[in-house]
């Protein structure tokens, strides 16, 4: 199983970025795909999750209305569209995956820390 993130970088406050996560080694359709971030000195935060079996989604309150998770079957790729970025969104963003739906993982791991598979992360910095 391999998850490879891309699309991070430096952006001004109020700007947008789209993160991509290329997945391989498992049946993309059957897995939940999510994003977890970690800022320096802070705990990991489960940002978003997409359960591919039923299409249900989860967003942390801190990103609701600004971030959108999606996926492209044909490309075996998941995305995180991030709009109206704030300085507090600065973090390393990890793509995560699990064979169980998001709500099952979140029942015991609200911050999505319990997701089975992790990418290496991509840095997002929001600063003027």
């Amino acid at each position: 199983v391999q998850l490879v993130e891309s699309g991070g970088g430096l952006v001004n406050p109020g700007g947008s970025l789209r993160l991509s996560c290329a997945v391989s080694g498992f049946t993309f359709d059957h897995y939940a795909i999510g994003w977890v971030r970690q800022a320096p000195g802070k705990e990991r935060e489960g940002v978003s999750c997409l359960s591919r079996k039923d299409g249900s989604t989860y967003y942390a309150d801190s990103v609701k209305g600004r971030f959108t998770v999606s996926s492209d079957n044909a490309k075996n790729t998941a995305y995180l569209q991030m709009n109206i970025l704030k300085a507090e969104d600065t973090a390393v963003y990890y793509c995560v995956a699990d064979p169980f739906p998001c709500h099952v993982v979140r029942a015991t791991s609200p911050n999505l820390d319990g997701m089975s598979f992790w990418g290496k992360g991509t840095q997002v910095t929001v600063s003027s």
Side-chain angles (χ1 to χ4, degrees):
V1 174
Q2 190 172 20
L3 307 172
V4 180
E5 304 95 336
S6 61
L10 174 64
V11 63
N12 290 329
S16 298
L17 276 178
R18 188 177 78 159
L19 304 183
S20 299
C21 174
V23 307
S24 61
F26 61 87
T27 306
F28 190 55
D29 273 358
H30 297 169
Y31 273 62
I33 300 288
W35 296 88
V36 174
R37 68 185 181 186
Q38 186 164 25
K42 294 188 177 180
E43 293 187 354
R44 287 175 177 169
E45 179 185 18
V47 173
S48 182
C49 191
L50 169 64
S51 293
R52 297 207 23 84
K53 282 185 177 178
D54 62 10
S56 61
T57 57
Y58 161 78
Y59 294 97
D61 287 344
S62 58
V63 306
K64 275 181 184 175
R66 300 189 298 123
F67 290 12
T68 303
V69 63
S70 63
S71 62
D72 185 329
N73 272 7
K75 297 181 179 180
N76 269 16
T77 301
Y79 303 98
L80 184 68
Q81 178 67 44
M82 305 185 295
N83 298 328
I84 318 175
L85 282 162
K86 307 174 182 179
E88 50 264 43
D89 294 318
T90 295
V92 176
Y93 284 71
Y94 298 91
C95 180
V96 294
D98 198 277
F100 289 100
C102 302
H103 71 276
V104 173
V105 177
R106 291 193 64 246
T108 55
S109 175
N111 66 348
L112 299 178
D113 220 16
M115 296 289 270
S116 296
F117 304 106
W118 290 64
K120 293 184 178 180
T122 185
Q123 176 70 47
V124 171
T125 302
V126 184
S127 175
S128 55

